[in-house]
Structures are given as C-alpha cells and as structure tokens.
Amino acid sequence: MTRRFLFSIIAATAFTLTSQAEVYTLDSCRNLAVGNNKTIRVADETLRGLGYERKAAKAAYLPGLDFNGGYMYNQRTINLLSENANLPTMSYDPVSGQYIPNLQLTPDMRPAIDPSSGQPIFSEVAVIPKEAMSFDTHNVVAGAFTLTQPVYMGGQIRALNEIAKYAETAAAAGRNSVVQEVIFSVDQAYWLVVSLKEKKKLAESFVSLVDTLRYSVNAMLEEGVATRSDLLMVDVKLNEARIALTKVDNGLTLSRMALAQLCGLPSNSNMTLADEDYKPYKPSAAEYSYNIQDVYADRQDLEVIRQGISLLSAREKLAKGLMLPKVAVVGAYEFSNPNLNNGFKKRFGGGFSVGATLSVPIWHWGGNYNHYKATKAATNAQRLLLEDMEEKVSLQVEQAKFSFQEAFKTYDMTVSNLKSADSNLESARYGFQEGVLTITDVIAAQTAWLQANSEKIDAEIGIHLCETYLSKVLGRMKY
C-alpha cells in the first residue's frame, strides 16, 4: 500500500513537471530563432566556405609542387637504321698533316669508282650493325616533379586575396542582416502574442460586463420596468462579445503557433511568455539620438554594398593583371624508363632542371582592355547604388523616428481616452439605474470602454514595436 502511494506521488509529480509550460523571455525566443533558422544556417555555411576560399587564395603566394606521370605502350621498336651501315674511314698523313680517305686505287693509282653510284670506293669501312641503332620502346614510363614559385603575376594573386577577403566580409554582413530580420520578426510575433493575451483578458471582462448588464435588465423586466426589446438588445451584444472572445482566443492560439515556428519549435508547443502578465513600459525617446554617418557605418545591408565596392575594385586589379607580364621560377626533377642519360638503358633515370618563365601579353584585339573597362563600370554602378541606398536609409530613419514619437503621443491620447471611457461608463450605469438613460446608452458606453482599452493595449505594444524597428534601422539591434 505504501509503495502504491509513493508511486502515485512520483507519477503525479512527473506529470505536473511535464505538463507545465516553459516560460520564454524575449531574449530566449530570439536566441532560439537565430539558432534554428535555416536561412541563417545556410549563411553560416556560406561564410565558412568563404573562409576556406580566403585561405586557398593566400596559398597562391607560396610555391606549388606537382607531379605528372604517364605510361605508353608502343607497338613497334624504333630502328634508326634500315640495314647495317658502312662508314668510310680516313688515315692521318704526317707529311700533309691531314686525314686522307682510305680509297681503293686502280693500277694507275687513281680512285676506283663504283659504276652504280658514281662514288669512290673505300678500301676500309667501319660497320655499324642495324641492331646497335634499334631501341626497345614498347613500354615507356615517364614522370616529373615540378616546383613553381610565382614571382610577379601582374598583381593578380594579391587581387584574388582581396576578393576572397571582401567576399567573406560581405557574407558576414549579409548574415548579420538576415539575423536582424529574423529578430525583428520574432519581436513582432512575441508582442502580438502579448497583445492578444491582454485583449483576451479584456474580452473576458467585456463578456462579464455585458452579462452583468443582462442580469440587471432581466431583473428589471421581471419587475416591469424594462421591455423585452431591451433584453434582446443586451442578448445580441452578449453574443457579439462571446464571438469576439472566441476570435481573440483563436488568434492567440495561432499567434503562439507562429511564434513557435519562428523559434524552431513544434507548432503545438505550449509556450508561455514572460511578458504575458503585461506591465506598461515606455522607453525614453532621448536614448535614440543618432548621427547619420554612424547609422551608415552600422547598417549591415549597407556594409554588404560597401564590401561589394571593394570586391569589384579588386576585380579591376585582376582584370588589369591580364595586360601585365608574368614571371615565375620553375624547378623540376624528370625521370623516365627507358632513359638516355648514358646511352639507351632500360631502367629509371632522370635529373634536375631549373629555369624561369616569362609571359608578356602583346595583342588581343582590345579584349583584355575592354574587360578591364567593364569591371570599372561595375564598380561605379555599385558606388551609385550605395549612394541611393544611403538616401533611402536616411528617409527610413526619419520615418522610424517620427513613428516612434507618434507612438508615445498615441499612447498618451489612449490613456486620456480610457479615463474618459471609464467616467462615461460609470455615468451611463448611474443614469440607467436612475432611469434617465436607456439601455442603448449603456451599451454604447460599454462599447466605447472596450474600444478605449483595446486602443491603449495597441498603443503600448506599438511602443515596443517602434522601439525595435528604430533600433533596427539605426543598426543598433544586437545580433
């Protein structure tokens, strides 16, 4: 019995802990969204790849070692002679100090002539056998280790390194811009949930308010001081209030699902927000003084364009390098089998060689020059785009600042309107009890009270949203 009781307590405690909803602050929602957003993860991978590209570009300054090898089978043997070769010989004459051909002489001491060729006949010849000039090249293996050190490549290696660096910086700024957009979307969804939770409480209060009025009108109807039409009018209003409560409740559920999706959580997650028990908060507008040049420097979308200008300037240098000479030092070790180092031998043999290469572009019909001019035009276009974007950002900041200031004025007016609506509702109740006002006046006062409260909630949430948007356009949103 004791074990069962203990097990029941443990099971009840576990169920309570698992059924409790986790409380999420605005910062925790932001962190979840940034960590789980697929677009940001794609940007992270792109940034990681560009980091490797930058390292690869840096390696171009260093010497490169390559190996090339090959094998070839030849069907036939190489024969430099078709038959044995007979080479004429000469003897040294010490009297004349010259070499005299060993010619066959006739009885009259004249050189004998071959009738078929018309050439003198030599008495002695040196024989080169055909086999001595035949080489077995059926199987040939060759290879080379080559070391190449760039000396001057027309500035192209430096330009490639600059392109890789600027591309990585631009990708980082682009990633930060995406993060800011995600954070702004999370803030909107977060405060929408808070707003709808407050409006749900308001709708419940309004239903209770109208239901209390219905109870009073029903009692008056039984006493004969109210009409059936008055009760029907209140019933209609009560049904409208209940329908409005249902819509707000459904909207709250959907907004929680949307926030959960942004945070990378299952849409049916039971999320409870830390600000659901909302307390009005008004930040000081004086915190948002700014210098427009600092805004330009802090805006990540403008940073992407600035890095793009630097990248295109580096592309100009790359294109210019096509028109400049290039110098490199080359060292190699080459080997082959068979080899000819010391005669023809069927074994591996090789040797070292060192040299330099020079490449000078001379004439390409203006192709390289036109390519260079095209890159300069692209750079100028990017500069004009930056100027246009800065003008738009300046206007965007002014609009955000006015919206932020307007949010405070709207809030102050809604507070004043709510005080008037509260007083009007009390006066309507009192006038209805005294019989000087009709049920229509009371319903109108209740409706005005509902609208004033709803507008005050919207104004309070609007301050938060305007604050977030202003920090975004000023480039001060933390990411």
Side-chain angles (χ1 to χ4, degrees):
M1 190 71 176
T2 305
R3 289 182 178 179
R4 286 184 179 179
F5 179 72
L6 183 60
F7 177 77
S8 299
I9 293 177
I10 294 174
T13 304
F15 176 78
T16 302
L17 291 175
T18 55
S19 61
Q20 286 180 346
E22 186 176 352
V23 178
Y24 294 88
T25 63
L26 180 58
D27 284 339
S28 63
C29 289
R30 287 178 169 184
N31 293 332
L32 283 171
V34 171
N36 296 322
N37 185 269
K38 296 295 189 299
T39 304
I40 295 176
R41 292 170 67 178
V42 169
D44 288 336
E45 290 300 321
T46 302
L47 187 60
R48 185 176 295 109
L50 289 172
Y52 294 133
E53 291 289 346
R54 176 177 52 80
K55 293 179 180 179
K58 191 174 182 180
Y61 285 112
L62 304 175
L65 179 63
D66 300 290
F67 171 76
N68 295 295
Y71 165 80
M72 180 177 292
Y73 171 77
N74 297 301
Q75 178 185 5
R76 308 184 67 175
T77 300
I78 295 177
N79 296 303
L80 299 183
L81 299 177
S82 61
E83 57 185 15
N84 293 341
N86 297 321
L87 301 181
T89 60
M90 301 178 73
S91 299
Y92 180 73
D93 183 5
V95 176
S96 62
Q98 297 179 351
Y99 285 93
I100 301 174
N102 296 318
L103 299 177
Q104 181 68 37
L105 301 177
T106 61
D108 57 358
M109 302 304 292
R110 293 183 178 182
I113 303 299
D114 185 0
S116 60
S117 63
Q119 298 294 327
I121 299 174
F122 287 85
S123 59
E124 295 180 3
V125 294
V127 178
I128 300 178
K130 174 183 177 181
E131 292 77 9
M133 300 302 290
S134 297
F135 304 99
D136 181 7
T137 57
H138 288 299
N139 298 286
V140 178
V141 178
F145 291 94
T146 305
L147 184 69
T148 305
Q149 172 62 61
V151 177
Y152 178 71
M153 294 288 111
Q156 289 186 314
I157 295 179
R158 179 178 296 178
L160 286 172
N161 276 267
E162 291 178 356
I163 289 173
K165 181 182 70 173
Y166 295 137
E168 184 180 14
T169 307
R175 185 258 184 197
N176 294 336
S177 182
V178 172
V179 170
Q180 289 183 342
E181 293 293 340
V182 170
I183 290 176
F184 183 64
S185 298
V186 169
D187 282 24
Q188 286 182 312
Y190 182 92
W191 290 114
L192 178 60
V193 172
V194 174
S195 173
L196 290 176
K197 183 63 181 295
E198 287 299 306
K199 289 187 177 181
K200 180 182 178 181
K201 296 177 183 178
L202 178 61
E204 291 171 347
S205 299
F206 186 66
V207 169
S208 177
L209 185 65
V210 178
D211 190 54
T212 300
L213 177 61
R214 184 188 183 283
Y215 177 80
S216 301
V217 172
N218 189 48
M220 294 171 66
L221 178 62
E222 293 176 354
E223 294 177 1
V225 295
T227 64
R228 175 67 61 179
S229 176
D230 293 335
L231 183 60
L232 290 174
M233 188 181 299
V234 176
D235 285 339
V236 170
K237 196 63 180 180
L238 181 60
N239 289 334
E240 292 177 355
R242 288 171 177 168
I243 291 172
L245 175 60
T246 302
K247 289 182 178 180
V248 171
D249 191 42
N250 291 338
L252 178 59
T253 302
L254 292 175
S255 64
R256 287 187 194 276
M257 294 172 65
L259 178 61
Q261 184 181 24
L262 283 173
C263 294
L265 301 174
S267 58
N268 59 350
S269 299
N270 189 15
M271 296 182 69
T272 300
L273 306 185
D275 291 301
E276 286 191 17
D277 295 328
Y278 182 68
K279 295 180 181 179
Y281 165 71
K282 296 201 305 177
S284 173
E287 299 175 3
Y288 292 95
S289 58
Y290 63 90
N291 181 287
I292 193 63
Q293 296 301 324
D294 294 336
V295 174
Y296 294 157
D298 294 336
R299 285 286 295 258
Q300 294 301 296
D301 50 351
L302 297 183
E303 180 65 16
V304 173
I305 301 177
R306 284 192 293 269
Q307 294 301 321
I309 293 174
S310 300
L311 189 149
L312 290 173
S313 297
R315 281 187 57 193
E316 290 182 26
K317 299 177 183 177
L318 188 65
K320 188 177 181 180
L322 295 174
M323 298 182 287
L324 299 176
K326 300 170 183 60
V327 180
V329 176
V330 180
Y333 177 80
E334 302 162 342
F335 61 90
S336 65
N337 183 5
N339 73 87
L340 301 175
N341 290 347
N342 292 302
F344 184 85
K345 295 181 180 179
K346 293 191 64 176
R347 61 170 180 250
F348 282 101
F352 289 97
S353 61
V354 178
T357 64
L358 173 64
S359 174
V360 181
I362 297 177
W363 183 253
H364 294 274
W365 301 100
N368 293 337
Y369 179 72
N370 287 327
H371 180 63
Y372 171 67
K373 297 296 287 184
T375 57
K376 287 185 69 68
T379 306
N380 293 333
Q382 193 78 353
R383 289 194 178 97
L384 292 174
L385 177 62
L386 178 61
E387 294 177 5
D388 181 61
M389 288 297 297
E390 286 179 347
E391 292 174 0
K392 292 180 179 178
V393 166
S394 177
L395 178 60
Q396 187 183 41
V397 169
E398 290 296 323
Q399 291 174 339
K401 184 182 69 173
F402 288 139
S403 297
F404 187 61
Q405 295 171 348
E406 184 180 351
F408 280 91
K409 295 177 182 178
T410 302
Y411 173 79
D412 293 336
M413 287 187 290
T414 57
V415 171
S416 177
N417 291 341
L418 182 58
K419 292 180 181 178
S420 299
D422 288 337
S423 300
N424 186 39
L425 181 59
E426 289 297 324
S427 299
R429 285 174 178 171
Y430 181 77
F432 179 69
Q433 292 174 357
E434 296 297 325
V436 295
L437 294 178
T438 64
I439 192 66
T440 304
D441 298 324
V442 177
I443 292 176
Q446 290 178 340
T447 303
W449 176 86
L450 175 65
Q451 183 177 358
N453 275 279
S454 179
E455 290 175 351
K456 179 175 179 294
I457 293 173
D458 290 338
E460 291 172 347
I461 299 301
I463 290 177
H464 287 279
L465 293 178
C466 287
E467 179 189 21
T468 303
Y469 181 68
L470 184 58
S471 65
K472 176 178 176 292
V473 299
L474 290 176
R476 300 178 183 178
M477 180 177 286
K478 297 179 179 179
Y479 47 85

